[in-house]
Amino acid sequence: MKVLKFGGTSVGSPARMKNLLDIINPAERQIVVLSAVSGTTNNLVEIGQAYLAGDKKKAISLIGTLKDKYELFIKELFTDEQFLKQGKEVIDYHFNVLANLANDLFTTIEDKVILAQGELLSTTLYHVYLRQIGVPSVLLPALDFMKIDEDNEPIVDYITEKITPLLDKHPDVNLFITQGFICRNAFGEIDNLRRGGSDYTASLIGAGIRSEEVQIWTDIDGMHNNDPRIVKGTQPIAQLSFDEAAELAYFGAKILHPQSVFPAQKYKIPVRLLNTMDPQAKGTLITNTSEKDKIKSIAAKDGITAIKIQSSRMLLAHGFLRKVFEVFERYKTSIDMITTSEVAVSLTIDDTTYLGEITTELNAFGSVELDVNHTIICVVGDFGAEKHGYAARVLEAVKHIPLRMISYGGSDHNLSLLVKTEDKVEILRSLHNRLF
Ligand code: ADP
Ligand code: ASP
Ligand code: MG
């Protein structure tokens, strides 16, 4: 059974929703994961922010504007009066949920309820549309099987346990529709898998049902060899290994949610990145194998803070790094890059929630320096230990730009540079011109 995920643009208009059946084959048993209609989650974020700021008037006005868009959406999606009425009931229900929050105490719990309405709307409307055109389908509520634990880690065994009976209940139905992004947390509350999380949903369901393949349908023909929003003339990559794809996703290639590769990798499920606007394009196939001896792609991750801890006590000391890492562990803050010398260690984080506390604790080990507004540039490919010349090619291409950190050899497929964010565009273009 395959899992097909369609992103925001792929369901971004009534016409696009209707066209999904050019790709989905209703004769094949499959699970279709939908994102919210493009723009909706951003609008829901704004509504939540208005509520959190105590500005109910603004929240209600934003809700009204968004609802108007959906009123137009359903008029185009449903040509039959009976189904238009059902569509109207769907949007009335979800927009009432949004508006009724004005009466409650508003916390991050309610905020997550708001964010969930986008995927609930898109899937329910699509389900009603399938009924209108007579295609049998079942709407699977993601909140019944998608769960994260206390550490925000999804639980694949839980998904398997909960989704299997839901699928078995409908042996005659081929098409199962469900929401990307949303889940329940350890307290049973509505939560989500972070922005872009529908990719993660698809991969998790793929793992949960041991799917034959996960397809991520989006608005571009696969993973490109550089960020197409910044660099002209980028090209799709035909094949990537799970490790390479994971590095690119983690280090900023927006086409994939940062964690989405791991469940598929663990259960060896091939992932295809495909283009809804050009379904015949080959896209990118992500599996265990990869083209050898090649620089594949470049990605960039912004919002990075570098922390340097300098200490003469580090000289010849054992256990120093352990103590440093334990500070980050206590604050559940993950480290992306690390470089060391005999008297100092530099590392980077992207989550600065506990930066104050972390800095205070690190001060006990030596002097601490912070550099904010940095970007990690990640060059990904197959550069095994026996290969040579890759680092030289990369460094030659960026010799006119100041580098804060360089990390190479952590794996066979990643060379990372830390630069000021203001240098990002130049470095991406320069690398592109010289490496490809
Ligand atoms: P969806 O809504 O379908 O999930 P996203 O906007 O999350 O789509 O991801 C697709 C977008 O990712 C593309 O439109 C493209 O602009 C951006 N992107 C960034 N880096 C890359 C890359 N290396 N390859 C392909 N797309 C990329
Ligand atoms: N709708 C969510 C977002 O915009 C999840 C997704 O699209 O993957 O972040
Ligand atoms: Mg996305």
Side-chain angles (χ1 to χ4, degrees):
M1 197 173 178
K2 285 184 187 157
V3 178
L4 279 68
K5 176 256 170 176
F6 293 93
T9 353
S10 306
V11 294
S13 66
R16 291 256 160 84
M17 259 195 190
K18 291 180 186 179
N19 286 344
L20 291 187
L21 277 175
D22 294 347
I23 292 166
I24 299 168
N25 174 4
E28 245 179 64
R29 204 165 149 89
Q30 65 206 287
I31 299 180
V32 171
V33 176
L34 300 186
S35 291
V37 170
S38 61
T40 296
T41 309
N42 287 345
N43 292 150
L44 295 172
V45 168
E46 287 175 49
I47 292 166
Q49 282 168 347
Y51 272 135
L52 278 173
D55 193 345
K56 288 184 186 174
K57 212 174 130 203
K58 183 171 177 197
I60 296 296
S61 147
L62 289 167
I63 292 167
T65 311
L66 186 59
K67 191 173 181 196
D68 289 345
K69 283 195 212 165
Y70 275 86
E71 300 272 7
L72 292 176
F73 197 99
I74 57 167
K75 279 196 188 121
E76 211 180 315
L77 188 63
F78 302 113
T79 41
D80 181 310
E81 273 306 314
Q82 177 201 346
F83 291 98
L84 178 61
K85 194 167 157 270
Q86 287 182 32
K88 178 83 178 107
E89 282 162 14
V90 170
I91 65 172
D92 282 347
Y93 174 81
H94 290 284
F95 281 90
N96 273 341
V97 169
L98 296 177
N100 286 340
L101 290 167
N103 307 321
D104 293 341
L105 174 71
F106 197 86
T107 68
T108 52
I109 298 175
E110 284 74 31
D111 194 34
K112 286 169 178 168
V113 172
I114 290 193
L115 293 187
Q117 303 309 312
E119 273 69 11
L120 292 168
L121 273 165
S122 63
T123 48
T124 316
L125 291 176
Y126 189 58
H127 181 57
V128 177
Y129 170 71
L130 289 174
R131 279 216 299 271
Q132 172 178 270
I133 60 168
V135 174
S137 71
V138 168
L139 186 60
L140 296 176
L143 298 177
D144 289 354
F145 61 81
M146 192 56 67
K147 195 177 164 82
I148 51 176
D149 65 16
E150 298 79 0
D151 295 320
N152 295 324
E153 288 296 326
I155 313 165
V156 172
D157 287 345
Y158 182 90
I159 298 169
T160 309
E161 185 196 317
K162 295 291 177 185
I163 205 170
T164 310
L166 295 176
L167 298 171
D168 290 348
K169 221 164 83 183
H170 303 281
D172 305 329
V173 177
N174 281 338
L175 207 49
F176 294 87
I177 315 293
T178 194
Q179 300 86 25
F181 182 57
I182 63 174
C183 62
R184 286 200 188 273
N185 61 25
F187 309 104
E189 298 152 355
I190 294 182
D191 212 317
N192 61 66
L193 302 171
R194 311 262 178 109
R195 294 304 306 271
S198 299
D199 305 326
Y200 202 13
T201 302
S203 176
L204 286 163
I205 295 178
I209 65 162
R210 311 294 190 266
S211 174
E212 56 179 293
E213 182 172 294
V214 171
Q215 298 181 352
I216 308 284
W217 288 88
T218 181
D219 58 4
I220 189 165
D221 53 349
M223 178 75 80
H224 277 217
N225 58 2
N226 206 330
D227 192 326
R229 295 165 300 179
I230 297 176
V231 178
K232 282 203 196 92
T234 60
Q235 295 293 326
I237 309 163
Q239 237 204 334
L240 282 173
S241 69
F242 287 117
D243 285 333
E244 290 165 342
E247 300 271 12
L248 288 168
Y250 187 76
F251 288 110
K254 188 190 172 228
I255 186 170
L256 275 178
H257 177 281
Q259 266 116 24
S260 58
V261 177
F262 301 121
Q265 176 168 33
K266 182 161 177 204
Y267 294 92
K268 301 193 177 62
I269 296 159
V271 177
R272 268 181 211 282
L273 310 182
L274 295 158
N275 189 354
T276 318
M277 323 299 155
D278 182 9
Q280 300 313 321
K282 259 180 74 194
T284 300
L285 175 63
I286 305 168
T287 60
N288 256 334
T289 53
S290 131
E291 268 184 277
K292 296 288 167 217
D293 206 1
K294 209 173 158 189
I295 294 181
K296 304 271 175 63
S297 183
I298 305 161
K301 183 177 176 185
D302 292 333
I304 303 293
T305 298
I307 304 171
K308 178 154 83 180
I309 307 129
Q310 196 148 10
S311 166
S312 52
R313 270 170 293 157
M314 190 175 165
L315 199 71
L316 298 178
H318 51 79
F320 180 85
L321 283 178
R322 177 178 56 76
K323 286 186 211 145
V324 169
F325 288 150
E326 274 172 358
V327 174
F328 290 88
E329 192 184 347
R330 269 199 293 287
Y331 292 101
K332 291 193 174 171
T333 300
S334 60
I335 297 168
D336 283 333
M337 262 177 97
I338 163 157
T339 55
T340 66
S341 81
E342 204 43 44
V343 290
V345 52
S346 275
L347 36 83
T348 70
I349 59 171
D350 66 345
D351 177 359
T352 51
T353 315
Y354 298 107
L355 184 59
E357 289 88 339
I358 289 172
T359 312
T360 307
E361 291 205 22
L362 291 176
N363 270 318
F365 307 134
S367 68
V368 179
E369 261 175 54
L370 301 179
D371 288 311
V372 295
N373 295 333
H374 275 61
T375 293
I376 293 178
I377 305 289
C378 175
V379 181
V380 165
D382 171 60
F383 346 110
E386 303 305 313
K387 318 281 164 54
H388 51 82
Y390 290 107
R393 279 171 66 196
V394 170
L395 294 178
E396 175 65 24
V398 301
K399 65 183 177 196
H400 56 302
I401 294 158
L403 304 177
R404 170 71 179 77
M405 285 166 69
I406 302 173
S407 170
Y408 180 62
S411 73
D412 284 350
H413 40 75
N414 172 334
L415 189 161
S416 297
L417 309 170
L418 186 73
V419 297
K420 287 201 180 107
T421 300
E422 65 200 46
D423 292 329
K424 173 177 83 167
V425 171
E426 169 56 25
I427 209 164
L428 286 179
R429 290 183 181 153
S430 179
L431 283 167
H432 198 77
N433 291 340
R434 286 162 200 247
L435 297 181
F436 301 122

